[in-house]
Amino acid sequence: MGTSDSEFNSDLLLAHKLPETRYTYNERDVAIYALGIGACGQDAVDSDELKFVYHRNGQDLIQVLPTFASLFTLGSLTEGLDLPGFKYDPSLLLHGQQYIEIYRPLPSKASLVNKVSLAGLQDKGKAAILELETRSYEEGSGELLCMNRTTVFLRGAGGFSNSSQPFSYKNYPSNQGLAVKIPQRQPLTVCEERTQPSQALLYRLSGDYNPLHSDPEFAKLAGFPRPILHGLCTLGFAIKAIIKCVCKGDPTAVKTISGRFLTTVFPGETLITEMWLEGLRVIYQTKVKERNKTVLAGYVDIRGLSSSL
Ligand SMILES: CCC/C=C/C(=O)SCCNC(=O)CCNC(=O)[C@H](O)C(C)(C)COP(=O)([O-])OP(=O)([O-])OC[C@H]1O[C@@H](n2cnc3c(N)ncnc32)[C@H](O)[C@@H]1OP(=O)([O-])[O-]
């Protein structure tokens, strides 16, 4: 264990308290987010999707997609995370996994206080896996709205601990957020949706301005031929498909979301999401049609099932 701030120091790291963050949003942010994950992207009058963007009786009545909750975490990672006793290169960061619990339907506007804590850190040799947990409370009522656990894969940041006993810290149940086992049988339903070449440029307006998603030169330096799609954008497309195909368009049916980003998506590619039902759990995987590659896999726990399924 090191003694200076630039060397790995587990005592310093685990004792560190991350600052609270604030997140305030309104109906405009909700609509811009929905457009960013492709709502009405294929059909501007699709009644399953228009409700996330527009309401004829006033914008405060638009419905909020449950994955909007993932935006509440952004400040902690995108504005530079300063962890004493652990260093990494933010330009080599990739989003690895997202786990979200929704405790009550998200309002169309709110001011939130986020309590952020370190949920995990693992030394994988070539990379480090860092996990942050964010609990979002509504300002005023103090009510807990949702919890996000964000896993980032930090290329080049591994090898900071003893290789015969790599450092591994996790403070949450092992059944949460693990990669899922995809059933061998045919999926219950499949949804295909093309992302737009400008998808990342639109999605970034929801708050993740990392140039990896917009700047060709930056993307090349980070090891990609061109800018890549935000992981949370791909997740938004997949969960929107599940809401449409399994939850009969009801976004409040979603209780828990888990997703692991398996490989990168390029804006303009077509996403095919396959879904299987196991009790009240929807197992899903999303593939890129053009490359026949699975890019995302996970599960969604839902509150109930429509009788027609
Ligand atoms: C957050 C705000 C910023 C947003 C940025 C973005 O959106 S970026 C755009 C969105 N994001 C993307 O586009 C990223 C897409 N994903 C990828 O490109 C690749 O999956 C990878 C580079 C993350 C890892 O690939 P690889 O071949 O280098 O890895 P490997 O198979 O050799 O495994 C090594 C170890 O790591 C483990 N592990 C592996 N994967 C994950 C994971 N996803 N998650 C967690 N853990 C993972 C695996 O279990 C293993 O541990 P074990 O079992 O030995 O104890």
Side-chain angles (χ1 to χ4, degrees):
M1 186 188 306
T3 48
S4 103
D5 205 27
S6 62
E7 289 174 59
F8 180 60
N9 183 327
S10 57
D11 292 341
L12 208 56
L13 181 73
L14 298 182
H16 181 62
K17 297 267 172 285
L18 287 153
E20 277 184 5
T21 62
R22 308 241 150 197
Y23 190 90
T24 297
Y25 69 88
N26 62 26
E27 304 87 343
R28 188 171 181 276
D29 302 304
V30 169
I32 289 172
Y33 170 76
L35 293 170
I37 61 155
C40 295
Q42 325 283 320
D43 177 3
V45 293
D46 180 338
S47 57
D48 271 336
E49 301 200 342
L50 189 58
K51 62 191 175 193
F52 301 126
V53 179
Y54 166 82
H55 196 289
R56 74 163 63 93
N57 295 330
Q59 280 303 92
D60 51 332
L61 294 174
I62 64 170
Q63 293 188 30
V64 186
L65 284 151
T67 45
F68 183 76
S70 62
L71 300 183
F72 307 162
T73 66
L74 281 181
S76 325
L77 278 160
T78 52
E79 279 153 33
L81 180 63
D82 197 14
L83 288 173
F86 177 70
K87 295 281 169 271
Y88 66 94
D89 179 350
S91 70
L92 296 178
L93 176 154
L94 286 175
H95 203 158
Q97 290 185 153
Q98 192 72 17
Y99 176 81
I100 310 171
E101 290 182 354
I102 308 280
Y103 306 121
R104 78 166 175 82
L106 303 174
S108 60
K109 59 169 175 263
S111 281
L112 306 172
V113 176
N114 293 314
K115 296 199 172 157
V116 189
S117 58
L118 183 72
L121 179 68
Q122 285 162 63
D123 186 349
K124 296 288 183 189
K126 62 179 180 180
I129 292 178
L130 175 74
E131 306 196 78
L132 286 191
E133 192 166 293
T134 305
R135 292 183 176 269
S136 301
Y137 298 83
E138 206 167 13
E139 209 168 38
S141 72
E143 200 179 337
L144 179 60
L145 274 189
C146 59
M147 181 273 272
N148 273 274
R149 198 174 299 118
T150 305
T151 306
V152 288
F153 192 90
L154 305 171
R155 293 175 292 162
F160 56 84
S161 60
N162 186 339
S163 60
S164 61
Q165 221 183 339
F167 182 78
S168 181
Y169 167 77
K170 243 185 199 190
N171 74 353
Y172 61 87
S174 59
N175 63 342
Q176 290 180 349
L178 285 182
V180 285
K181 200 167 162 16
I182 299 299
Q184 290 304 303
R185 60 184 188 276
Q186 286 296 308
L188 169 76
T189 179
V190 179
C191 177
E192 178 173 322
E193 208 173 344
R194 194 167 72 84
T195 65
Q196 299 301 318
S198 58
Q199 204 70 53
L201 297 175
L202 176 57
Y203 181 82
R204 72 195 285 277
L205 303 180
S206 284
D208 184 348
Y209 296 105
N210 185 339
L212 179 60
H213 309 291
S214 52
D215 187 324
E217 292 309 315
F218 188 96
K220 280 203 181 88
L221 288 175
F224 299 103
R226 57 194 170 101
I228 64 173
L229 196 60
H230 303 72
L232 289 178
C233 181
T234 308
L235 184 74
F237 269 86
I239 307 307
K240 182 164 62 64
I242 291 171
I243 292 168
K244 189 176 207 162
C245 299
V246 182
C247 307
K248 301 282 175 212
D250 178 9
T252 66
V254 172
K255 209 163 75 166
T256 305
I257 298 165
S258 170
R260 179 181 264 215
F261 305 110
L262 301 169
T263 192
T264 40
V265 177
F266 295 99
E269 291 186 315
T270 307
L271 300 174
I272 297 181
T273 299
E274 300 173 323
M275 305 161 226
W276 293 262
L277 201 54
E278 292 193 347
L280 289 178
R281 173 162 289 187
V282 184
I283 312 266
Y284 70 93
Q285 70 176 358
T286 303
K287 291 180 177 165
V288 161
K289 187 178 183 181
E290 292 79 0
R291 290 181 285 139
N292 192 28
K293 278 216 177 260
T294 305
V295 292
L296 168 67
Y299 65 84
V300 169
D301 287 336
I302 55 180
R303 291 177 211 281
L305 271 182
S306 143
S307 55
S308 60
L309 271 174

